[in-house]
Amino acid sequence: MTNSAPFPVYPHRHLLGIAGLNVPDILCLLDRADEAVALSRQREKKKSVFRGLTQINLFFEASTRTQASFELAGKRLGADVMNMSVASSSVKKGETLIDTAMTLNAMRPDILVIRHQAAGAAALLSQKVGCAVINAGDGAHEHPTQALLDALTIRRAKGRFDGLTVAICGDVLHSRVARSNIILLNTMGAHVRVVGPSTLMPAGIEHMGVDVHTSMETGLKDVDVVMMLRLQRERMAGAFVPSIREYFRHFGLDAQKLSLAKPDALVMHPGPMNRGVEIASEIADGPQSVIEEQVEMGVAARMAVMEALLDPAKNNGGAL
Amino acid sequence: MSVTVSKGTQVYTNGRIVDPSRGIDEVGAVIVEDGVIAAAGADAHNQGAPEGADVYDLRGMTVIPGLVDMRVHIGEPGGEHRETIASASEAAAAGGVTSLVMMPDTNPVIDDVQLVEFIRRTALETAITRILPSAAITKGLDGVEMTEMGILRNAGAVMFTDGRQTIANAAIMRRAMTYARDFGALISHTTQDADLAGNGVMNEGLFASWLGLSGIPREAELLPLERDLRLARLTGCAYHAAKISCAMSADAMRVAKSEGLNVTAGISINHLALNENDIGEYRTFFKLSPPLRSEDDRQAMVSALADGTIDVIISDHDPQDVDTKRLPFAEAADGAVGLESLLAAGLRLVNANQITLATLIAAMSTNPAKRLGLEAGTLGKGAAADFAIVDLDEPWLLKTSDLKSKSKNTSFEDARLTGRVQKTFVAGTCVYSI
């Protein structure tokens, strides 16, 4: 497969968040991702456009799935991929971010993928290095490739965003996935609802372009997409919600609650799932679930982002 | 270097003399004799220069009493790489600040008479402005055990504060306030409820939510403030709310003052000149404590300053170096340097016609001097000749490379300012000249 498809030139140097992207930017990435899906379903899955390029995955927070997805995406494009896991416990938090960045920068990578526990870490890194930076999750701020893969999944199933109603359910307060999705879906013309207990909603949520629901019964009514969020274990027992049992009873997605949504509603989850906490197993594995497809779309979306950022047609050529 | 008293007679003529302590704003002269003000104002102008005096023409310039900054963090002892007493005094002089109160949260903490004496000695030997030590309310700032306020006060501690810490235990706070009252000591307290503030790093609200940063609600400041104001009524203690930041705190102060309590309030210049939007994309030089609030709060604070609810403006000078600031926002230290931008940032409010020049200078000089019981903040006859000559119209750009402070973490980097200190005098001696 040649890289001759007539994609528009992507104007940004980094992907630090969905904020700041416009409709053509997002469509450009989704169109490229569709092509990457086709490639990934062939026997020969590898391109050579990134031959000679170096990608470094710098993960300050452990994430096997996201790291593997970025690694595979880079390898399918032909890049040399290096994984660096920096256990945050072994060093004083944050102290090494700039130092590590400068060290890695000296190795002349072409793409740095960073995940960090602090909001703004990817932006800070991008100011210090000479290559393209992709935010793979920074604190509770953004996780743009997740929103892109979610959008890709939705578009492939529904064919559009305009007029769709998407319910994002659960721990919105701590969720970078929720923020990126709210921005992207609003930009693309979907209606967004957030559903969850108020203790898990950020201040000012009602001004974030969403309808706020504190019960699943009203929140899921007639929606086209149900997007569940992961509830971190340390937040389950008393701190933000009283118990797992209570949470599942009121906010866990089961067949009864899902029946309120449209019959063809998609069920999504960014993973990893807590079965029996935010989602019942029968739903996670049921016919409306596209959770496995989201994983496949993840690799494609990340390939698309990397290709767009390092498109040789760009005037500045990225870091090339 | 140290503070030296000028000899002979100097006359500064044709200046605009602004002295809120006497309600004066008029063209006149300042006559200094052996480091003391002999006269200042139109009268002084009319009486002419005595024989043998050095005469300086200040046409177009304004003379103000030297600023008195009630809240300055210095790294000495324990953090001399950030700021020393000497470097802080250089920065103060450049900002027209002639007296500053140093916070006790050094390493070791200033909770013992020997440390107060160390600060006074070091200041006498190395500082070019007046450095006044404050002492901790509780030993080691642990919020548990009271310090020896009587002895500390006799040694020269001008007020008592736990610096960045809020005393959480109401019983301990009550006892400290009761004890302080007996010695006529001023208690200055920062109020932030540690539990309610949690792991917050900026003002709670929509902006923090979009940035994915944990918020600090305004109520975290208000709850301990309201408690303290109740305790001030109970104990009769002289209480100063060190740095309030939001409209609801100003409302609480307004009520307490209307009840006749012996309470005053301060605010940092940052909270009068900036708001949370200045944080932009995680700019850590705007990470402060209390956090920068909303524009509505900022405007309410300007009104509270204008109506006298807020008495004092502080620089809240807090030197931090690259190691503590060049980090992701949530992990960076709080604080910004401010001595050198204090007056110019305040003049923004004057130039925008939000407060008068007299209100500004009173809040930066006369009022804090009065609250601390200092013979400063005035150009009255017999006062030490601590004053600054200011060009209120000079436009300038604040460049970090020009800062005298050892640390460069200013919230006003590359800011365009109008009004600049030209010369600063302590005891009649020029300690800064542009």
Side-chain angles (χ1 to χ4, degrees), chain B residues 233-368:
Chain B
R233 177 156 52 187
L234 181 67
T235 62
C237 169
Y239 175 85
H240 179 71
K243 40 179 185 176
I244 61 174
S245 67
C246 47
M248 50 177 76
S249 296
D251 292 340
M253 285 303 307
R254 208 169 272 128
V255 171
K257 284 186 160 191
S258 73
E259 290 171 354
L261 302 183
N262 185 3
V263 295
T264 47
I267 185 170
S268 98
I269 186 62
N270 301 307
H271 292 83
L272 287 169
L274 307 168
N275 67 30
E276 61 182 347
N277 297 312
D278 287 299
I279 289 166
E281 284 279 304
Y282 306 100
R283 297 163 72 192
T284 58
F285 284 6
F286 295 87
K287 183 165 187 258
L288 306 173
S289 179
L292 289 172
R293 303 290 185 183
S294 69
E295 176 61 10
D296 287 348
D297 283 304
R298 190 192 70 80
Q299 289 183 11
M301 299 322 261
V302 173
S303 302
L305 176 67
D307 72 19
T309 301
I310 293 174
D311 306 87
V312 172
I313 301 173
I314 54 173
S315 71
D316 202 20
H317 184 82
D318 193 350
Q320 298 289 339
D321 56 24
V322 168
D323 293 344
T324 52
K325 277 294 188 184
R326 241 180 54 180
L327 294 172
F329 194 87
E331 295 168 6
D334 295 327
V337 294
L339 280 165
E340 294 167 74
S341 49
L342 174 64
L343 180 63
L347 286 171
R348 277 188 175 177
L349 303 175
V350 176
N351 293 330
N353 291 320
Q354 291 175 325
I355 55 168
T356 64
L357 182 62
T359 299
L360 183 75
I361 303 305
M364 288 183 174
S365 178
T366 309
N367 297 351

Side-chain angles (χ1 to χ4, degrees), chain A residues 44-58:
Chain A
E44 170 60 59
K45 298 178 176 58
K46 198 158 169 170
K47 290 169 88 169
S48 57
V49 286
F50 272 25
R51 179 175 300 173
L53 301 190
T54 304
Q55 171 191 341
I56 300 179
N57 297 334
L58 178 58

Side-chain angles (χ1 to χ4, degrees), chain A residues 93-296:
Chain A
K93 271 187 188 173
E95 199 169 52
T96 59
L97 178 60
I98 297 291
D99 292 342
T100 310
M102 299 317 283
T103 306
L104 293 180
N105 194 45
M107 298 177 187
R108 303 190 64 80
D110 302 282
I111 292 194
L112 264 178
V113 177
I114 177 180
R115 167 166 291 192
H116 196 278
Q117 66 278 1
L124 181 63
L125 189 80
S126 73
Q127 295 161 12
K128 306 292 174 190
V129 298
C131 65
V133 173
I134 298 176
N135 180 6
D138 61 330
H141 178 224
E142 281 228 43
H143 190 357
T145 58
Q146 178 71 44
L148 287 165
L149 77 87
D150 289 341
L152 184 64
T153 309
I154 293 171
R155 190 173 79 164
R156 289 171 70 93
K158 299 287 182 189
R160 67 193 166 100
F161 296 102
D162 220 31
L164 292 183
T165 301
V166 181
I168 302 176
C169 310
D171 185 2
V172 178
L173 176 63
H174 300 98
S175 177
R176 51 195 172 213
V177 175
R179 282 169 182 73
S180 289
N181 265 309
I182 289 170
I183 301 169
L184 187 147
L185 291 167
N186 269 318
T187 304
M188 300 309 292
H191 300 294
V192 184
R193 294 180 190 171
V194 291
V195 191
S198 295
T199 49
L200 292 176
M201 290 292 161
I205 181 71
E206 62 280 8
H207 300 300
M208 293 174 95
V210 297
D211 293 325
V212 184
H213 293 262
T214 53
S215 94
M216 294 286 270
E217 284 66 34
T218 63
L220 295 192
K221 185 137 183 56
D222 298 329
V223 299
D224 299 282
V225 179
V226 182
M227 206 178 262
M228 301 306 298
L229 298 172
R230 178 180 165 77
L231 183 66
Q232 297 283 348
R233 215 152 257 293
E234 63 269 21
R235 293 172 188 139
M236 293 176 196
F240 291 88
V241 292
S243 69
I244 293 174
R245 182 173 71 169
E246 170 130 336
Y247 188 78
F248 184 69
R249 178 88 45 91
H250 290 280
F251 300 100
L253 187 64
D254 55 20
Q256 194 199 344
K257 295 188 191 102
L258 182 58
S259 70
L260 299 164
K262 285 188 183 159
D264 61 347
L266 305 179
V267 172
M268 304 176 74
H269 192 295
M273 284 180 284
N274 292 305
R275 290 167 184 266
V277 179
E278 69 261 1
I279 190 165
S281 271
E282 51 164 345
I283 302 300
D285 304 329
Q288 288 171 261
S289 168
V290 291
I291 296 170
E292 270 181 41
E293 196 182 338
Q294 284 176 273
V295 178
E296 184 190 357

Side-chain angles (χ1 to χ4, degrees), chain B residues 140-151:
Chain B
L141 309 175
D142 64 0
V144 177
E145 206 181 329
M146 254 193 287
T147 56
E148 299 164 310
M149 287 191 209
I151 296 174

